[in-house]
Amino acid sequence: MADFFTGRGPGRPGLTLFLNAGDPSLDELAEVVHMLDEEGVDCLELAVPFPDSFTDGPVVRRSARRALDRGTGLDDVLGFVARVRPGLRGLRIALLADWSHSLKRRDLGAAVKDVTASGADGLLVHGLPPRLRDAYREATESAGTAVVTTCYPTSPEETRARAARESSAYVYLVAHYGRSGTAPPAGHAALAPVVAGLRAHTNSPIAVGFGVSTRNHVAAVAASGADAAIVGSAGVARVEQALDEEGSVTTALRDFVRSLQPGPDENSTANTPIRTRS
C-alpha cells in the first residue's frame, strides 16, 4: 500500500486537494493532475460525481452536476486513473465513490478490486450502509485496498476510535458538522484534542478538512497536530471561476496551490478571497 503524507517536517502538513472527476473535462483534468504532482501536492481526493450530496455545499454540488452533465461515471473515472497514474512521481490518488450512486448496483468485492486495479492509492466510500461495513472491510483487505475513513469531532468516542482503527490510508477528520466549505467556529487548531485522541488508535495519518481555504488555515491544521490539510470547496471554486471566464483551470489551480504553501512573503495571495457564485 502507498504511504500518504510522508517526508513532511514540523509545521509543514501534507496537502490534499478535492476535485470532482469530470469538472473540468477529463482531458483537462489530466493536465491538472500532472500539475499537482509537479507542485508537490500530496494527494488528490478524486470524487466520482454524484448528485445532491447532503454533506456538500453549493460550490461542490454545482461541480458534481457539471461533471454528471458530461456523462462522467465510475468506469470513466477508473479508466482515467489508470491512464494518469503511471506518470505520477509523488501524488497519491484517493478515490471517493458514493455507495448509492456508483456502487450499489455492483458486486462490492468486484468493485473494490476494480478500484485497486485502476491504480488508485486509496478508497473512501460515501454513504456506505452500516450493514455492509464488515463486507467492505473484507473486500478491501482481500484486494489490498488502502481505506480512507471519516469522522467528526462530535462523533461518539467509539465511532472516532473505530474510524482510526479501520483506516489504512488516512483518517479524514471532518472539522465541522455541516456543509463542505464551512469552518469550525473555534478554528482548526482547536481540534488538537480530537487529533490526539485519534492518534492513540491508529498509525495512519490524520487529515483535516472543511473550511480550509488559505495558508493560515493550513497552518492552523498543522497546529492541531494533524498530518495534512484537505482543501475542497475553495479549490473547486477556482475551477468554477476559470470555467466561467473560459480560462485555464490548470493555471488557476496552480496559482491557488502555491498560495497555500508556507512561505515568508506576507504580501502573497494566501488570504485572497475566492469569488464564488451563490
Side-chain angles (χ1 to χ4, degrees):
M1 294 185 185
D3 293 328
F4 287 79
F5 315 122
T6 58
R8 291 282 183 169
R12 295 183 66 88
L15 182 63
T16 290
L17 194 70
F18 166 92
L19 293 172
N20 274 301
D23 186 51
S25 70
L26 293 180
D27 286 340
E28 188 166 10
L29 185 61
E31 298 178 8
V32 169
V33 168
H34 290 293
M35 177 275 294
L36 296 177
D37 190 39
E38 293 169 359
E39 293 295 324
V41 173
D42 296 87
C43 180
L44 169 65
E45 188 177 294
L46 185 65
V48 182
F50 60 99
D52 306 322
S53 170
F54 59 87
T55 57
D56 287 325
V59 171
V60 175
R61 287 163 70 111
R62 286 197 300 268
S63 170
R65 176 46 57 191
R66 289 191 296 269
L68 290 168
D69 288 347
R70 290 189 176 97
T72 310
L74 178 59
D75 291 334
D76 303 295
V77 180
L78 295 181
F80 172 81
V81 174
R83 176 159 54 96
V84 300
R85 189 67 191 83
L88 303 180
R89 297 172 298 177
L91 182 73
R92 306 303 187 194
I93 298 176
L95 196 73
L96 188 159
D98 179 67
W99 162 253
S100 294
H101 185 76
S102 299
L103 300 176
K104 186 176 182 178
R105 294 170 184 81
R106 298 180 180 235
D107 176 82
L108 181 58
V112 170
K113 288 180 180 178
D114 289 343
V115 169
T116 306
S118 74
D121 299 287
L123 174 62
L124 169 57
V125 176
H126 177 271
L128 180 73
R131 61 183 173 79
L132 294 177
R133 189 176 292 133
D134 290 343
Y136 176 62
R137 183 170 59 251
E138 292 172 4
T140 54
E141 289 176 353
S142 175
T145 307
V147 175
V148 180
T149 59
T150 63
C151 62
Y152 292 92
T154 54
S155 298
E157 183 177 352
E158 176 51 35
T159 300
R160 298 197 306 269
R162 184 177 64 241
R165 290 193 303 267
E166 295 181 356
S167 169
S168 51
Y170 57 91
V171 182
Y172 184 166
L173 176 59
V174 182
H176 178 62
Y177 188 80
R179 299 285 189 180
S180 58
T182 58
H188 296 92
L191 297 172
V194 181
V195 172
L198 290 170
R199 190 85 68 195
H201 297 283
T202 186
N203 292 321
S204 296
I206 299 166
V208 172
F210 271 44
V212 180
S213 62
T214 70
R215 181 180 300 163
N216 288 345
H217 292 151
V218 174
V221 168
S224 77
D227 300 284
I230 300 174
V231 180
S233 296
V236 176
R238 292 292 177 109
V239 173
E240 182 172 78
Q241 182 175 339
L243 293 174
D244 283 348
E245 297 174 355
E246 298 183 355
S248 167
V249 172
T250 303
T251 299
L253 284 176
R254 179 186 289 114
D255 292 344
F256 178 58
V257 165
R258 289 178 177 177
S259 80
L260 296 170
Q261 303 287 2
D265 184 4
E266 294 182 357
N267 295 318
S268 72
T269 59
N271 295 298
T272 300
I274 299 163
R275 182 173 62 82
T276 64
R277 291 190 280 114
S278 58

